[in-house]
Amino acid sequence: MLKEITPKSVDYSQWYVDVITKADLVDYAPVKGFMVIKPYGYRIWEFIQDAMNVRFRATGHENAYFPLLIPENLLIREAEHVQGFSPEVAWVTEGGGERLPERLAIRPTSETIVGAMYSKWIHSYRDLPVLMNQWSNVVRWEKATRPFLRTTEFLWQEGHTVHRTQAEAEAETSQQLEIYRDVIEGELAIPVVVGQKSAGERFAGALNTLTLEALMGDGRALQIATSHFLGQNFAQAFNIQFLDDDGALKYGWTTSWGTSTRMIGGLIMVHGDDKGLRLPPKVAPIQVVVVPIARGNDATAVLSYARKILGSLQSAGLRVQLDSRDEYTPGYKYNDWEMRGVPLRIEVGPRDLKSQAVVLARRDTGEKQTVNRDGLDLTVLKVLESIQNTLFDQAKAYLQDHWQRIDNLAQAEEYGYRGFFDGDWCGAEACAQDLQSQTGMTIRCLPLDGQAVGGDCVVCSQPGSARIVFGRAY
RNA sequence: CGGGGCGUAGCGCAGCUUGGUAGCGCACUUGCUUUGGGAGCAAGGGGUCGGGGGUUCGAAUCCCUCCGCCCCGACCA
């Protein structure tokens, strides 16, 4: 018997927890703030890794691996950086039964250890650019945790690059953000707002942070990818210098950029419904499930018919599974696979066998239709493509419906501070802080859509100097 | 770190007020019948009642103490 999923409208947080545990994506670990990513959830992560690796390689990046532990003297080298991260660093103080002479940080991010290594490797402008990416885990000691969205340990990808010029580094920062947008919108079907972080929301130690912001089903924002232009801050702190062709010794310009398993949390919250997950076909571990209705004397014939369909779809390169478990009824299986978010279900029974047809049931719309067995591979490919597009379109429509242009904060209150709000800002950090203390909302980004400032600061009513998108965030 | 909730079989819970053989539903095992939207019957297996201490003839239940987890808020991918 499957467990009930709490409806979104009753308790969104509980709905989220129900979905991720009952769809078998994760389980809670013995230590608070840690989780096990189970095979079904990890497979989604692997699709994300594949999609990114292809794009990273195509733009000249290589994967590498840096150590988990960072000596304290390295971590504190860049002043702003250490200030930003020190509250959430976990430390190793003992090893081999002895107290260590210098404590070692479990990496909260790797700029410092990467910087220390880069300074050893880079001597000449001929060594540049250095374009590396690392897939790893990091630890940030968080007070309040939620699976995928905020866990103490999480899996991510962090790119670290060094360039000869500022312009090249800034171009890298934008290029990587565009790769993220492409993966997140194209594979995960999550529409995003592209922008720049305000000074107060910037990565600790960065000169500029670009961001992708997504809107969850409860109207809260999720920062889903960031790309940082670090200027020469880290190059100076870690002595990353090169001899340029003019004979001058110069500091490199560095960038870093990252995305994490948080994306999976976003995927669930953007597409999920009261029946459970809804996975876009491109990242669905199982794209099609075949459910035989094997009744009485027809059982053997139906099953062999189902196997033929399975085989032909597999040959077409689809991820298909046949659910021939005979301890469950078809109805149970329908609900089970719907909860797990499988995009398309194919039902085959005695009727279909007789008419050489199958029934297709779409997870995105719930539609059922009977289609001919001939040409089924092509039909299924088309339907999956349509599901991928429909999920994106639905999410895009939701985003647009919950994105209001406003002139003052009272207008945001009418929407319960849910959704994205678009307004103007005077640029004062004091107003950014007032926004948060008064409404719980934060500046998500300064959107990069080219639209001009149109009015006064939504907080203080002084003339605006920047357009901002703001809202309550995870 | 504040506020709330909860620890009893794999999961969800009852039992605690008023101490007296540890129960229910689901899941699991076996058999038979079933199968086009969460199958039925029958017979089974499974427990340091979160840990420690105390009161008592006797503690899941009363007292003390520690631990853990979840949710909601303030900070963060």
Side-chain angles (χ1 to χ4, degrees):
Chain A
M1 183 63 138
L2 299 183
K3 297 127 205 162
E4 291 287 317
I5 293 171
T6 305
K8 279 178 166 182
S9 56
V10 171
D11 183 343
Y12 196 85
S13 300
Q14 193 56 48
W15 168 82
Y16 178 77
V17 170
D18 286 350
V19 169
I20 58 172
T21 54
K22 289 165 186 172
D24 222 22
L25 299 176
V26 294
D27 198 3
Y28 289 97
V31 182
K32 175 189 162 70
F34 289 77
M35 65 174 178
V36 176
I37 304 178
K38 299 176 80 173
Y40 195 63
Y42 199 81
R43 193 84 184 93
I44 296 172
W45 182 234
E46 289 178 323
F47 288 126
I48 293 170
Q49 289 183 305
D50 292 346
M52 292 215 183
N53 274 330
V54 165
R55 290 163 176 80
F56 291 164
R57 284 191 200 107
T59 44
H61 302 83
E62 294 179 298
N63 285 330
Y65 186 79
F66 291 83
L68 171 71
L69 300 180
I70 302 175
E72 181 165 20
N73 78 81
L74 280 187
L75 195 75
I76 62 176
R77 204 71 75 78
E78 212 285 331
E80 263 186 62
H81 184 71
V82 66
Q83 202 190 344
F85 278 103
S86 62
E88 38 187 357
V89 172
W91 294 97
V92 175
T93 58
E94 281 178 37
E98 286 172 30
R99 191 156 191 90
L100 301 174
E102 179 185 15
R103 56 181 187 160
L104 303 170
I106 301 176
R107 63 181 161 218
T109 178
S110 303
E111 276 76 6
T112 57
I113 184 93
V114 171
M117 298 310 296
Y118 280 1
S119 78
K120 287 174 66 176
W121 300 339
I122 294 168
H123 309 286
S124 153
Y125 72 93
R126 295 180 207 277
D127 296 327
L128 298 179
V130 173
L131 308 172
M132 288 192 202
N133 176 64
Q134 148 163 293
W135 291 96
S136 73
N137 58 342
V138 288
V139 167
R140 298 181 186 176
W141 217 261
E142 300 284 355
K143 287 165 186 165
T145 58
R146 312 188 66 182
F148 289 122
L149 300 174
R150 193 189 305 109
T151 46
T152 303
E153 177 192 25
F154 58 91
L155 302 184
W156 77 343
Q157 147 290 301
E158 50 176 327
H160 297 278
T161 68
V162 188
H163 305 266
R164 190 177 176 186
T165 65
Q166 172 172 358
E168 199 186 297
E170 286 182 314
E172 169 80 6
T173 309
S174 302
Q175 172 186 279
Q176 297 313 107
L177 192 78
E178 174 55 22
I179 286 178
Y180 292 151
R181 194 201 57 76
D182 187 42
V183 170
I184 291 165
E185 294 197 329
E187 309 280 321
L188 301 181
I190 298 174
V192 293
V193 177
V194 183
Q196 184 181 21
K197 283 292 182 188
S198 62
E201 296 278 333
R202 215 175 263 158
F203 177 75
L207 295 190
N208 188 19
T209 289
L210 301 180
T211 182
L212 299 180
E213 302 283 327
L215 189 64
M216 302 298 104
D218 61 348
R220 288 173 71 181
L222 186 76
Q223 176 179 311
I224 201 164
T226 49
S227 183
H228 316 291
F229 169 59
L230 303 175
Q232 294 179 311
N233 286 352
F234 285 84
Q236 285 171 9
F238 291 95
N239 204 34
I240 302 172
Q241 287 184 296
F242 65 95
L243 196 59
D244 210 345
D245 61 359
D246 59 4
L249 196 58
K250 297 175 182 174
Y251 286 109
W253 299 84
T254 66
T255 79
S256 68
W257 23 275
T259 59
S260 71
T261 39
R262 169 180 270 193
M263 279 191 286
I264 299 174
L267 183 73
I268 297 155
M269 288 198 289
V270 166
H271 300 305
D273 65 16
D274 284 349
K275 289 179 163 185
L277 281 181
R278 294 195 308 166
L279 295 174
K282 288 186 181 175
V283 294
I286 300 169
Q287 295 170 310
V288 182
V289 64
V290 180
V291 178
I293 294 116
R295 196 179 41 186
N297 296 333
D298 298 319
T300 313
V302 166
L303 210 55
S304 96
Y305 183 55
R307 287 215 174 86
K308 271 182 211 154
I309 286 161
L310 171 77
S312 109
L313 292 176
Q314 277 172 337
S315 310
L318 292 163
R319 299 189 287 273
V320 198
Q321 186 163 316
L322 172 66
D323 186 354
S324 58
R325 295 176 293 179
D326 65 355
E327 66 270 32
Y328 294 112
T329 61
Y332 177 99
K333 293 175 184 178
Y334 298 168
N335 288 287
D336 192 24
W337 295 113
E338 281 169 2
M339 187 178 67
R340 288 175 157 72
V342 173
L344 186 66
R345 180 177 72 243
I346 298 182
E347 306 169 7
V348 295
R351 285 205 303 262
D352 308 300
L353 175 60
K354 213 165 291 169
S355 59
Q356 287 294 296
V358 301
V359 174
L360 302 184
R362 291 172 64 132
R363 180 64 181 89
D364 58 339
T365 59
E367 270 176 283
K368 277 196 191 189
Q369 58 169 327
T370 303
V371 302
N372 208 295
R373 192 234 181 287
D374 290 336
L376 183 62
D377 303 357
L378 269 181
T379 309
V380 167
L381 283 168
K382 263 186 237 162
V383 170
L384 287 178
E385 197 183 331
S386 163
I387 291 170
Q388 180 84 27
N389 293 334
T390 301
L391 287 174
F392 181 78
D393 292 344
Q394 287 177 352
K396 183 96 179 171
Y398 179 87
L399 172 62
Q400 282 163 352
D401 285 349
H402 294 81
W403 189 354
Q404 318 295 335
R405 167 80 206 190
I406 62 169
D407 299 314
N408 56 62
L409 297 181
Q411 291 172 317
E413 191 178 7
E414 287 170 28
Y415 292 100
Y417 303 125
R418 298 290 160 172
F420 279 142
F421 299 98
D422 201 317
D424 295 299
W425 177 43
C426 64
E429 196 50 39
C431 280
Q433 281 172 19
D434 285 350
L435 175 71
Q436 179 162 13
S437 59
Q438 287 170 28
T439 68
M441 297 189 289
T442 49
I443 297 175
R444 302 320 307 153
C445 69
L446 284 59
L448 296 177
D449 56 11
Q451 289 179 42
V453 175
D456 298 331
C457 177
V458 290
V459 182
C460 69
S461 300
Q462 298 294 307
S465 68
R467 262 184 68 234
I468 54 172
V469 171
F470 52 104
R472 287 193 172 161
Y474 271 98

